[in-house]
Amino acid sequence: MRSQIALRLRSASFPLSAVPPSASSTEYSTHLADLAAHIIYRSPLPSENDLPVFILNAAAFPDAKTTDYDALLPYVLVRLPDEEELIGGQGYELVFFAGGSNEGATATKKGRPGWGWFIQAYQLLSRAMRKRLQKMYIVHEKNWIRILIETFSTVVSPKFRKKIIHVSTLSGLAIYITIKDLLIPPSAYLTDRRFSKDIYVPCTRGRRAFAVPQPLPVSSSGVHRLPRVLRETSSFVVMESVIKTVGLFRISPRMVIVDILTEAYDRGQKFIVWREGNVVLSHSHKREGAGDVWVDEMEQTEGYDIHVAAALIKEWYKQLREPIFPQSCYMALEKFYSDTKEPLKVSQLLEILSESGEWSPINKTAKSILTMHLLPLLSRVTDFQEWNQMTAYNLAVCFGPCLLRGPDPMEDVRIASIITRILMAMIMHWKEDLAPTFNTDVWKFEESLRNPEAAEDREDPPQDVQGPRSSLEAQISGITLVDNDDSDEEIEQRPPLPPRPVVSPIESAPRTAASPVESISSDTAVRRKPAPPIQSLPRYSMVVTDRPVNLEHMPFYNTVAPEEDMAPLGNLSELSELPEYEPSSAEATSPSSMIARKPLPKS
């Protein structure tokens, strides 16, 4: 029965070919080869089991209404491992991103081939290719994919189901495979954002690039270097055919893409491809025992454009743990740099940037960041302002708000104009006046953007990131109690206190004058002083009421005579000794001294 169903499905279309035409043949289609390179490609690094990993991207599937899938299939199958590699090896793994493209509400839905085409495509796979498949991870699975897999498992190959692992997000995929080693397409990140905002990787803690305590990592040689995110994005920006892009650092890309790459660099994703037209850039990863590992066929690989790289640089400056211009320097900026009538002098700019400057409003780390990266980069961009239309003023306007972050937004807006003026002057004077002072130039800056030779310097170390502490917590954390007793004598340990006696509950019984409480023993009873009766009015008090009261019959007590109460105080310095206290006659007859108190009950 199973064979009849498979035969019926295979007969629904024409026989397919598993071998594409030769590259030198006239029938060879470059367009179909490029489509196949986007559909399936090999990840640069193998899996933890040292098996090659292939990425199958459903978002790259073309529209079946405009593309001949029968002609496309041989170009796709030829990208899988061949017979010799499979027979001599242990197998391969496949990661299938089945989510498809991030289609909007107005996007045209793509057509897909029929079920018979998938069955024939599976039958065209060689026996070694089917048997050597160790694991197949299906991410962002859709209903038609699940139906197709169930058909394969029941009709074509019952053993196929055991090799499949279904995961719903990239966080679930990270449980089974190291996703940092994968070359994940941008469409898979966008699809994952619809299911989960963040990607959680097990046994990973801290960040590597953004909002870290130490923004400039220390290299293996002991000097500060640029972080990986600035090194890769800046090296893509300064490429001659890319730096001429109009609106560089001014045009904003989709923020979801910026957030995706921010998380990828913090996670330590090893391979990120940048693409602008025909220009493609991707840095290598040094693998132990294999040397530099590059992305194969970068020309056919999906990448991120120049505006994403520029926005990522601005995002790095925005998320600095301590901004370049903190709030503590606002007063100094307004006092010394707010005068717009006189241009800023080079000596004033050197006072800000020089490490020996005594009155600089910024700290040493901010000076290093400005002189190592920001000013050389922006000065290089202005060299091509005839093409990109980005003058020193335009760049200062784009980067000024990224260099400050205070609690009051209105105050930040006021200070941003001063910082824009300072930054514009620094960019204009950098190449001729400031750069020679710091012993740097364009070539040294581009040298700092190259991939380091040491493997440990190509990736930033993870740093523990904790939230900002409150002022009270910061003060308490700085207090340390130290025992000042330096003697070697052992401190005598005091004996523990005896346990408190357990008081038995008092039995509720009516208390009368004839029957005192006798259920409480003398050993365990707790004698309590009875509550005093209501006291009389204090001295000089007033009775406030809304009824007419006859005050003639109201008793009034005053313990001190008015003339005595208003008498001046004596000088204690004239007394040789303090006299003993003696109650007056009025106090002896006052009602407060005549209060009748109930005697304590006898035990």
Side-chain angles (χ1 to χ4, degrees):
M1 182 66 181
R2 183 181 301 167
S3 61
Q4 294 178 359
I5 297 176
L7 181 61
R8 186 181 306 171
L9 292 174
R10 286 196 298 268
S11 62
S13 60
F14 296 100
L16 303 179
S17 175
V19 180
S22 176
S24 59
S25 175
T26 56
E27 297 180 358
Y28 184 83
S29 175
T30 307
H31 173 67
L32 295 179
D34 292 340
L35 288 177
H38 287 83
I39 293 174
I40 186 169
Y41 56 89
R42 185 168 182 168
S43 189
L45 292 177
S47 64
E48 296 179 354
N49 300 325
D50 202 18
L51 298 177
V53 180
F54 289 85
I55 307 297
L56 182 60
N57 186 16
F61 286 172
D63 191 355
K65 303 174 184 178
T66 58
T67 305
D68 186 5
Y69 267 75
D70 293 346
L72 175 63
L73 181 60
Y75 295 91
V76 175
L77 297 181
V78 78
R79 303 184 61 83
L80 292 172
D82 53 9
E83 293 285 342
E84 297 180 359
E85 184 179 0
L86 292 175
I87 293 175
Q90 299 179 355
Y92 66 100
E93 296 181 1
L94 182 65
V95 179
F96 182 23
F97 294 107
S101 60
N102 192 22
E103 298 175 350
T106 59
T108 304
K109 188 176 180 179
K110 293 182 180 180
R112 58 174 181 265
W115 300 104
W117 183 89
F118 291 101
I119 301 297
Q120 286 195 14
Y122 182 79
Q123 293 294 334
L124 287 177
L125 297 177
S126 63
R127 184 177 184 277
M129 197 175 298
R130 285 180 284 180
K131 297 298 182 182
R132 291 294 184 178
L133 177 62
Q134 301 298 323
K135 293 292 182 182
M136 182 177 179
Y137 306 95
I138 302 179
V139 191
H140 309 141
E141 188 178 34
K142 292 187 176 181
N143 292 332
W144 72 273
I145 297 292
R146 181 173 291 275
I147 296 174
L148 180 63
I149 296 301
E150 291 297 328
T151 304
F152 274 37
S153 302
T154 56
V155 178
V156 181
S157 178
K159 298 180 181 179
F160 187 68
R161 183 186 287 110
K162 299 179 181 179
K163 301 180 180 181
I164 297 176
I165 298 177
H166 301 271
V167 292
S168 57
T169 60
L170 291 175
S171 300
L173 180 64
I175 300 175
Y176 301 97
I177 192 172
T178 306
I179 64 172
K180 296 189 297 182
D181 298 342
L182 299 178
L183 182 58
I184 303 176
S187 56
Y189 283 122
L190 292 173
T191 303
D192 193 75
R193 280 276 166 161
R194 293 184 291 178
F195 301 98
S196 177
K197 185 178 180 181
D198 300 316
I199 300 175
Y200 300 96
V201 179
C203 303
T204 300
R205 182 182 179 184
R207 296 179 180 176
R208 298 175 183 267
F210 293 85
V212 293
Q214 189 174 358
L216 296 178
V218 179
S219 63
S220 57
S221 59
V223 297
H224 289 282
R225 60 173 177 84
L226 294 178
R228 179 194 167 198
V229 56
L230 293 185
R231 189 176 67 244
E232 294 187 357
T233 53
S234 301
S235 60
F236 182 58
V237 169
V238 298
M239 297 181 71
E240 185 175 356
S241 57
V242 177
I243 200 172
K244 297 180 180 180
T245 304
V246 179
L248 186 60
F249 291 109
R250 189 178 71 238
I251 299 177
S252 299
R254 296 178 61 184
M255 285 308 300
V256 63
I257 301 293
V258 178
D259 295 340
I260 287 172
L261 289 180
T262 300
E263 188 180 35
Y265 275 106
D266 279 334
R267 185 172 59 251
Q269 200 72 25
K270 292 183 173 61
F271 299 99
I272 296 177
V273 180
W274 301 98
R275 171 185 290 275
E276 183 65 26
N278 297 327
V279 181
V280 185
L281 177 65
S282 178
H283 290 74
S284 63
H285 171 74
K286 181 169 286 188
R287 182 188 177 194
E288 185 177 357
D292 290 340
V293 180
W294 297 86
V295 177
D296 296 334
E297 300 177 334
M298 287 192 300
E299 293 76 10
Q300 288 82 21
T301 306
E302 295 184 51
Y304 305 94
D305 60 14
I306 178 59
H307 298 296
V308 177
L312 207 61
I313 295 175
K314 295 167 61 177
E315 188 68 20
W316 187 85
Y317 280 94
K318 287 180 183 178
Q319 295 192 21
L320 281 174
R321 177 68 66 90
E322 183 176 356
I324 300 296
F325 294 92
Q327 187 191 13
S328 58
C329 72
Y330 286 2
M331 186 178 297
L333 293 176
E334 288 183 317
K335 184 176 181 181
F336 299 106
Y337 302 98
S338 61
D339 189 6
T340 58
K341 297 180 180 179
E342 297 182 1
L344 294 175
K345 302 179 182 179
V346 178
S347 58
Q348 293 178 299
L349 303 179
L350 288 175
E351 183 68 28
I352 299 176
L353 297 174
S354 177
E355 295 184 1
S356 59
E358 299 180 1
W359 307 103
S360 177
I362 60 179
N363 56 26
K364 184 178 180 180
T365 303
K367 297 175 183 178
S368 301
I369 295 174
L370 289 176
T371 56
M372 290 176 60
H373 178 260
L374 185 60
L375 295 179
L377 174 64
L378 300 185
S379 176
R380 184 61 175 167
V381 173
T382 56
D383 293 341
F384 299 87
Q385 59 182 341
E386 296 181 4
W387 294 272
N388 54 37
Q389 306 300 321
M390 296 302 294
T391 61
Y393 173 76
N394 294 338
L395 292 173
V397 170
C398 294
F399 271 89
C402 303
L403 306 183
L404 75 165
R405 185 179 64 254
D408 187 2
M410 299 303 297
E411 186 180 17
D412 291 348
V413 172
R414 187 178 71 255
I415 300 298
S417 60
I418 303 176
I419 296 178
T420 300
R421 179 169 175 262
I422 296 174
L423 186 59
M424 181 183 64
M426 288 181 177
I427 297 172
M428 296 174 61
H429 291 281
W430 175 255
K431 182 182 294 186
E432 301 296 336
D433 303 321
L434 300 179
T437 306
F438 299 98
N439 193 21
T440 183
D441 52 17
V442 177
W443 311 111
K444 291 183 179 180
F445 171 64
E446 294 183 354
E447 181 70 22
S448 65
L449 299 180
R450 295 180 181 177
N451 226 8
E453 292 294 334
E456 57 270 17
D457 293 341
R458 297 192 178 186
E459 186 58 74
D460 301 330
Q463 303 181 35
D464 291 336
V465 179
Q466 299 179 357
R469 298 180 300 177
S470 61
S471 59
L472 179 60
E473 184 182 357
Q475 295 176 9
I476 295 175
S477 63
I479 300 175
T480 305
L481 300 180
V482 181
D483 189 3
N484 295 326
D485 189 5
D486 298 335
S487 61
D488 298 335
E489 299 179 0
E490 297 183 358
I491 301 177
E492 181 182 359
Q493 296 184 357
R494 297 180 180 180
L497 296 176
R500 293 184 178 181
V502 180
V503 181
S504 60
I506 303 176
E507 297 180 3
S508 59
R511 293 190 179 185
T512 58
S515 61
V517 179
E518 299 179 355
S519 61
I520 305 176
S521 61
S522 60
D523 297 336
T524 61
V526 178
R527 299 178 180 272
R528 298 185 181 275
K529 184 178 179 180
I534 300 177
Q535 300 288 340
S536 60
L537 297 175
R539 295 182 301 168
Y540 312 118
S541 297
M542 299 176 60
V543 178
V544 180
T545 179
D546 56 350
R547 298 178 182 179
V549 180
N550 187 6
L551 300 179
E552 295 180 357
H553 305 286
M554 179 177 291
F556 178 76
Y557 301 97
N558 190 7
T559 57
V560 182
E563 58 273 13
E564 296 178 0
D565 196 21
M566 301 299 295
L569 296 176
N571 189 2
L572 295 178
S573 61
E574 298 177 357
L575 299 176
S576 59
E577 58 181 358
L578 191 66
E580 295 182 0
Y581 174 76
E582 294 181 0
S584 61
S585 59
E587 290 177 346
T589 59
S590 63
S592 59
S593 61
M594 299 179 182
I595 296 175
R597 300 182 180 277
K598 184 178 180 180
L600 296 174
K602 297 181 179 180
S603 57

